[in-house]
Amino acid sequence: RTIHLVYCHDASHRIFFGLPTSFSPEEMVLTLPCEEVLWEAKSPFAWSQLLLAESPYGNVPRRILGVPMLHGMAALGLEGGSMDSPEPFKDVGIISPFGHFVLMHSLIGELVKRCASNESPATKTKRREFNCDSSPEDEEEVNEHVFAMQLALHKWLKLWLQNPEGPRPAESASATEPQKLHEIGYAVDPLPFYWLGQLLLLAFQEGLPPFAPPPPPSDRSPNIGSPGDSVTSSTTSNPFELSPFVTSPYATSQSSLT
């Protein structure tokens, strides 16, 4: 679990700061964390009794070995995932809440990588309108990265809803039961990160920060004149061309993200 936490922390550098990661998904050849009841067993005897009991996670060997992380990534259709199965989504089995937490970080990390290194649909449309080369066919174009990441998020959610230990809306804290807020651990409730992925995907589709294109360089003079002086700026430059002015942590070169 420590290695998986390190992996999630490394993925957070890309998600929140747009920095390249130190780990590649292909390096995570470990199995995903086991179910929470086994991890929280108070004694070896209690652990063995829980292991021998009937569980939706499968039989004893499957519960001991766990789900390989590369199999989970293959079930979501992420880069680096591998699984010798014609239908990896159906054959991956039930994944623990902490395992979903790890997979979600890998998913959002790939989402940020794809969106930061490609032009958003909204920006592409505006650029074509600026160059007067838009056509009706262009408006119906489907971005392959948006489709792939939306499908990955949908698959993750389906797997998450199959998990018997995942927090449910009825178990969430309310105004009358604030103490339940402390019963749900941070690493066993990755659903907020699912909505973060949806918001990032929407921002990419609409060309909004943090995926908005940087502003064009201005011809404005650095010297400040008198209040009556007029300031002129270039009106012929393309506002959708990349510029050296970085306005968001994701506005980095594609080479630094791969």
Side-chain angles (χ1 to χ4, degrees), residues 61-98:
R62 188 179 184 93
R63 296 171 69 189
I64 292 179
L65 296 176
V67 178
M69 182 172 175
L70 296 183
H71 289 189
M73 294 172 59
L76 301 181
L78 301 180
E79 295 178 357
S82 62
M83 185 176 181
D84 296 332
S85 172
E87 297 181 341
F89 180 80
K90 294 183 179 179
D91 298 336
V92 70
I94 298 180
I95 300 173
S96 67
F98 190 21

Side-chain angles (χ1 to χ4, degrees), residues 216-247:
S218 175
D219 293 341
R220 182 177 298 177
S221 172
N223 298 325
I224 301 177
S226 61
D229 295 340
S230 61
V231 180
T232 60
S233 61
S234 174
T235 59
T236 59
S237 62
N238 189 340
F240 304 103
E241 292 180 352
L242 295 179
S243 74
F245 297 92
V246 178
T247 57

Side-chain angles (χ1 to χ4, degrees), residues 171-182:
E171 301 175 4
S172 302
S174 62
T176 58
E177 296 179 313
Q179 68 276 7
K180 286 192 175 182
L181 182 63
H182 303 285

Side-chain angles (χ1 to χ4, degrees), residues 130-253:
F130 181 84
N131 295 329
C132 299
D133 60 353
S134 60
S135 62
E137 291 78 7
D138 296 336
E139 298 177 358
E140 300 178 359
E141 181 180 355
V142 178
N143 187 281
E144 59 176 331
H145 302 289
V146 173
F147 179 80
M149 292 294 94
Q150 188 65 61
L151 181 60
L153 286 168
H154 175 71
K155 288 181 176 180
W156 180 91
L157 183 61
K158 288 189 66 176
L159 288 176
W160 171 251
L161 294 177
Q162 297 175 9
N163 186 278
E165 295 183 294
R168 297 292 183 262
E171 301 175 4
S172 302
S174 62
T176 58
E177 296 179 313
Q179 68 276 7
K180 286 192 175 182
L181 182 63
H182 303 285
E183 298 177 5
I184 302 177
Y186 171 75
V188 297
D189 186 16
L191 196 58
F193 288 88
Y194 166 83
W195 295 112
L196 173 62
Q198 292 285 5
L199 288 174
L200 288 173
L201 202 58
L202 178 62
F204 173 69
Q205 290 179 273
E206 300 297 331
L208 300 174
F211 304 114
S218 175
D219 293 341
R220 182 177 298 177
S221 172
N223 298 325
I224 301 177
S226 61
D229 295 340
S230 61
V231 180
T232 60
S233 61
S234 174
T235 59
T236 59
S237 62
N238 189 340
F240 304 103
E241 292 180 352
L242 295 179
S243 74
F245 297 92
V246 178
T247 57
S248 78
Y250 297 158
T252 55
S253 63

